[in-house]
Amino acid sequence: MSEPLIKVDHLKKYFPVAKTKGKFVKAVDDVTFEVQRGEIIGIVGESGCGKSTMGRCLMKLIDITDGSLYFDGQDITHFTKKEMDAIRSKMQMIFQNPFSSFNPRHTIGKSLMDVARHYGQTKEEAEKKIHELVEEIGLDQVVLRRRPSELSGGQLQRLAIARALVAGPEFILADEAVSALDVSVQAQILNMLIDLRDKYNLTMVFISHELTVVEHISDHVIVMYLGAVVEKGTSEELFYNPMHPYTRALLAAKPKETPDDEVNHELLTGDIPSAMSIPEGCRFCTRCPQCIPGKCDTEVPELRHISGDHYAACHLIKT
Amino acid sequence: MSISGLVYAVRDITLDIRKGEILGIVGESGCGKSMTAKSILRLHDEKKMEYGGSILLDGEKDILKMSKKELREMRGRDISMIFQDPITTLNPLKTIGKQILEMYQLHTDISGEEAQAKVLELLDLVGIVPAQDRFRQYPFELSGGQLQRVCIAMALACRPKLLIADEPTTALDVTMQAQVLDLLKRLQRKYNSSVLLITHNFGVVAEICDRIAVMYAGQIVESGDVREIFYHPCHPYTKDLIASIPKTGQHGTQLTTIPGMPPRLNQDIVGCPYAPRCTKVCDRCRTEAPPLKNAGETHEYLCFLEPDNSREVSA
């Protein structure tokens, strides 16, 4: 296989707890994965599982505590802001709320132009590129003269994608990019992301808590729980043959698609524990219906290989 | 592009919620779902808006004609509401126990101890345990899912005839969503309350509703039994909405999309409001308001298309 575009190696991100020395919130704890070129990877999990922190580490928006991060074969773990700036044009981001990701006082045209100019494009180049992109996302050129308050959420999210593409990136991180949108608009954005991926050979990490959306768009999926990867695999393996009890519970919690769907809602009890006091042994043992006392609450399960690209971290899995 | 003049947020809708049923209202943002729900409790600033028509409770009392005092008594006792964001619903400076207790103090004349016992029982019922300790906790000490359960406990404290739930699980994770929906359904059965559930999520509707009303541009464009709507939708808007939801086992396929945007509600709408976005539009749709048609005993929709014809297309 060719070299992955992004390689995450035993990445950790700990936040110190104010006033308590030596105590940390382990938001991302020893995560390893690779993103191949042209691939869309989905990261799913409940709120507080560290998926957004993971994303911010990938973009180097925050410093990494330990482990390493490679982009395009380069170790960027300890890159300074200036060094990052040089490669940022290759990695861009789309956020959840399109209204708060545009400057309300600037016209859309200016917001897009600023990005292009920042990455050293000439005015003519930038204008041409922006014109093309606006066409590409199916909007009229007049939107460039509008301000964010004059546009709908769906239009703005499309423009946020266009803005991410202005710089000519290889990698796009979409953090809950469709969560705030209506289903009809969500469908437009998902179709568009897939089309753009094919057209520009983009690589994407798609963070979402919505399982069907992730299944729809992702080639590979990573399930996170309390800062760690509990299961990863191709979209098909993960959704049709989930191995980790947490993945199963997540899938079981998904609402029915039609009223007569037979779903077995094995409800998870309780809440996700605080990342400040992660349970001993397997992180999921406090909520796991199949927890083996004496084993799961003492020994940390490793990610075990199941088949192909499918891995899960659970003591119940025999290898 | 500010909206000026009169905004017709809810246009001439007729809706009945039967005893002991869960009715779901679905539609895109800005189609008037929340407006309808809040109108039932008259929660809008009446200096800034006008109502027309009537809202009958129990088939006799018109909510729109109630005095302020009657309204105060009715809210919480006969009809109560839960909102999308439980964190902003609850008072951050009062313990959750006290906040639920208030319901009994306002609407019943049971003694303090009795009320307290009832609150503890309720907390236990919604799974906020140990109730004794939780009673004294403040909202910031609980998670979003737990707070939503507290809100449900509070809303159901006086066993209202109708519970309005406005996007009650939108701010929650799937696991919490499943817990809250399960709780809502259990309590609704236990108390035989009616529930009006507002959501944009068809999955939530499929999960717990008995009937659905689909709203578009302030109108109910289709309503009926939940299975009828899911399996035999008649209105093109309902069909398009259902088709645009990503489904299991369709990795990477093109989803159906609805081009354009819902109409702005400060303009007069001539003909069918969905006509500019509809794939089955004909000349008549642009000039004439579509009629209300029946597609079965419990199933009505607003469109020129015949039910059989559209049923074929959906298959």
Side-chain angles (χ1 to χ4, degrees):
Chain A
M1 213 182 274
S2 65
E3 195 173 333
L5 183 67
I6 288 178
K7 205 172 134 195
V8 178
D9 196 19
H10 297 285
L11 190 125
K12 293 186 180 122
K13 177 66 195 176
Y14 294 176
F15 294 101
V17 177
K19 291 179 195 161
T20 331
K21 245 199 170 162
K23 216 173 170 195
F24 293 97
V25 172
K26 298 180 177 175
V28 175
D29 203 7
D30 205 0
V31 169
T32 302
F33 66 91
E34 288 176 357
V35 190
Q36 301 295 335
R37 282 168 201 278
E39 181 180 58
I40 301 182
I41 285 218
I43 303 184
V44 281
E46 290 170 279
S47 4
C49 74
K51 52 189 195 303
S52 285
T53 310
M54 184 68 242
R56 288 162 70 201
C57 287
L58 282 182
M59 300 297 290
K60 284 270 296 160
L61 295 175
I62 46 176
D63 287 330
I64 291 162
T65 311
D66 196 22
S68 34
L69 174 65
Y70 298 86
F71 182 78
D72 210 0
Q74 242 180 326
D75 184 348
I76 62 165
T77 323
H78 301 293
F79 265 30
T80 58
K81 273 217 165 92
K82 217 173 162 188
E83 287 172 302
M84 273 316 288
D85 220 28
I87 62 162
R88 253 299 130 70
S89 67
K90 292 188 192 158
M91 44 204 311
Q92 294 282 311
M93 191 164 174
I94 307 163
F95 301 89
Q96 173 166 3
N97 187 343
F99 288 99
S100 56
S101 56
F102 277 98
N103 186 330
R105 290 174 193 278
H106 287 180
T107 60
I108 300 297
K110 179 165 169 42
S111 286
L112 265 62
M113 183 57 95
D114 281 352
V115 176
R117 298 289 285 159
H118 179 78
Y119 292 116
Q121 298 174 14
T122 65
K123 206 165 174 234
E124 290 73 42
E125 267 175 6
E127 265 169 7
K128 190 164 163 268
K129 184 111 191 227
I130 292 170
H131 187 91
E132 276 170 22
L133 281 169
V134 170
E135 206 146 284
E136 177 86 49
I137 57 168
L139 293 180
D140 193 288
Q141 300 292 335
V142 296
V143 293
L144 294 174
R145 293 199 295 275
R146 303 261 184 266
R147 290 192 170 73
S149 58
E150 298 171 279
L151 298 167
S152 73
Q155 288 175 321
L156 272 179
Q157 195 61 303
R158 280 193 260 178
L159 286 161
I161 295 172
R163 180 175 60 180
L165 292 174
V166 164
E170 290 173 32
F171 170 66
I172 285 191
L173 173 70
D175 191 355
E176 301 275 12
V178 298
S179 309
L181 307 171
D182 277 316
V183 276
S184 55
V185 183
Q186 174 180 299
Q188 290 171 7
I189 302 283
L190 289 175
N191 284 344
M192 210 173 82
L193 284 174
I194 294 174
D195 290 347
L196 291 172
R197 189 267 303 256
D198 297 343
K199 185 169 175 194
Y200 295 103
N201 192 30
L202 293 170
T203 308
M204 266 185 236
V205 167
F206 190 90
I207 298 173
S208 178
H209 66 276
E210 261 176 81
L211 298 160
T212 18
V213 170
V214 170
E215 187 200 343
H216 185 83
I217 195 167
S218 317
D219 305 309
H220 272 82
V221 179
I222 293 173
V223 182
M224 283 183 75
Y225 185 74
L226 271 181
V229 174
V230 294
E231 184 161 4
K232 60 181 177 182
T234 62
S235 193
E236 212 178 346
E237 283 166 330
L238 209 113
F239 286 99
Y240 290 98
N241 186 23
M243 297 301 283
H244 198 283
Y246 179 62
T247 316
R248 288 194 187 153
L250 268 187
L251 289 173
K254 203 170 71 169
K256 298 181 198 176
E257 282 170 19
T258 52
D260 292 332
D261 264 4
E262 299 222 356
V263 241
N264 179 19
H265 287 318
E266 273 180 49
L267 295 186
L268 268 189
T269 48
D271 279 308
I272 186 163
S274 151
M276 228 154 46
S277 50
I278 291 173
E280 295 253 336
C282 171
R283 291 153 200 264
F284 188 54
C285 71
T286 51
R287 295 167 83 193
C288 184
Q290 289 160 283
C291 175
I292 312 165
K295 182 155 179 103
C296 293
D297 49 11
T298 50
E299 261 176 71
V300 179
E302 281 169 33
L303 264 183
R304 291 170 201 199
H305 181 246
I306 296 162
S307 63
D309 283 334
H310 197 176
Y311 294 83
C314 179
H315 288 302
L316 292 164
I317 295 161
K318 304 278 179 285
T319 41
Chain B
M1 201 163 80
S2 68
I3 293 180
S4 55
L6 272 179
V7 175
Y8 298 92
V10 178
R11 298 168 188 239
D12 197 10
I13 72 171
T14 302
L15 187 68
D16 45 83
I17 306 161
R18 296 169 199 152
K19 235 189 166 102
E21 81 168 352
I22 304 185
L23 174 69
I25 298 189
V26 284
E28 288 171 281
S29 345
C31 67
K33 308 185 292 274
S34 292
M35 276 292 188
T36 308
K38 285 187 182 164
S39 303
I40 297 176
L41 276 172
R42 274 175 69 185
L43 291 179
H44 298 292
D45 184 347
E46 292 181 14
K47 284 182 202 122
K48 292 186 188 147
M49 64 175 293
E50 289 169 31
Y51 290 109
S54 62
I55 302 169
L56 298 181
L57 177 66
D58 279 337
E60 45 189 62
K61 278 173 281 174
D62 187 351
I63 294 172
L64 293 183
K65 293 204 180 95
M66 281 185 180
S67 67
K68 276 200 174 141
K69 185 166 173 285
E70 283 173 311
L71 267 180
R72 255 199 320 273
E73 284 167 3
M74 177 274 290
R75 291 179 186 148
R77 190 193 63 201
D78 297 326
I79 303 178
S80 61
M81 185 154 177
I82 49 180
F83 299 86
Q84 176 168 346
D85 186 1
I87 299 165
T88 50
T89 305
L90 295 166
N91 183 339
L93 301 177
K94 274 187 176 173
T95 62
I96 58 165
K98 272 214 174 114
Q99 296 189 53
I100 305 177
L101 207 57
E102 248 178 22
M103 293 294 290
Y104 292 108
Q105 290 162 346
L106 285 172
H107 295 294
T108 61
D109 29 60
I110 56 175
S111 74
E113 287 104 69
E114 234 180 304
Q116 183 148 355
K118 283 203 160 186
V119 174
L120 291 175
E121 196 185 310
L122 261 178
L123 283 175
D124 210 45
L125 193 68
V126 297
I128 304 293
V129 283
Q132 282 285 357
D133 301 338
R134 296 295 195 179
F135 188 91
R136 279 187 294 274
Q137 283 188 326
Y138 289 90
F140 76 88
E141 295 176 87
L142 280 74
S143 74
Q146 289 174 327
L147 288 179
Q148 196 60 292
R149 280 180 271 161
V150 170
C151 290
I152 293 177
M154 197 190 300
L156 292 175
C158 298
R159 309 211 173 174
K161 292 169 184 145
L162 173 66
L163 172 68
I164 301 172
D166 190 355
E167 302 271 9
T169 60
T170 308
L172 306 176
D173 280 312
V174 266
T175 49
M176 289 299 133
Q177 167 167 296
Q179 285 182 12
V180 166
L181 290 180
D182 178 64
L183 176 72
L184 208 57
K185 188 153 197 170
R186 259 194 303 126
L187 293 182
Q188 180 262 340
R189 286 214 185 113
K190 187 174 160 125
Y191 294 152
N192 197 29
S193 304
S194 309
V195 176
L196 179 65
L197 181 83
I198 294 167
T199 179
H200 65 274
N201 186 335
F202 270 91
V204 170
V205 172
E207 197 66 50
I208 70 168
C209 292
D210 303 309
R211 279 200 306 143
I212 316 182
V214 181
M215 278 192 85
Y216 186 75
Q219 292 180 329
I220 291 176
V221 294
E222 182 158 10
S223 68
D225 180 81
V226 72
R227 282 179 181 78
E228 274 286 309
I229 305 282
F230 264 93
Y231 302 127
H232 308 291
C234 286
H235 197 285
Y237 178 61
T238 316
K239 287 184 195 171
D240 293 345
L241 264 188
I242 292 176
S244 65
I245 308 166
K247 289 167 194 74
T248 316
Q250 295 187 353
H251 170 73
T253 50
Q254 279 275 320
L255 295 166
T256 308
T257 60
I258 307 178
M261 275 192 296
R264 304 234 307 279
L265 297 174
N266 58 336
Q267 293 157 352
D268 267 338
I269 294 173
V270 183
C272 171
Y274 192 56
R277 303 171 79 190
C278 184
T279 47
K280 303 197 177 62
V281 65
C282 54
D283 290 340
R284 203 149 54 135
C285 306
R286 296 185 221 276
T287 50
E288 251 178 86
L292 187 66
K293 287 196 176 166
N294 279 318
E297 263 177 54
T298 62
H299 189 172
E300 290 178 328
Y301 67 104
L302 266 184
C303 184
F304 288 110
L305 289 175
E306 291 301 323
D308 284 329
N309 164 25
S310 34
R311 216 170 260 213
E312 261 170 49
V313 178
S314 78

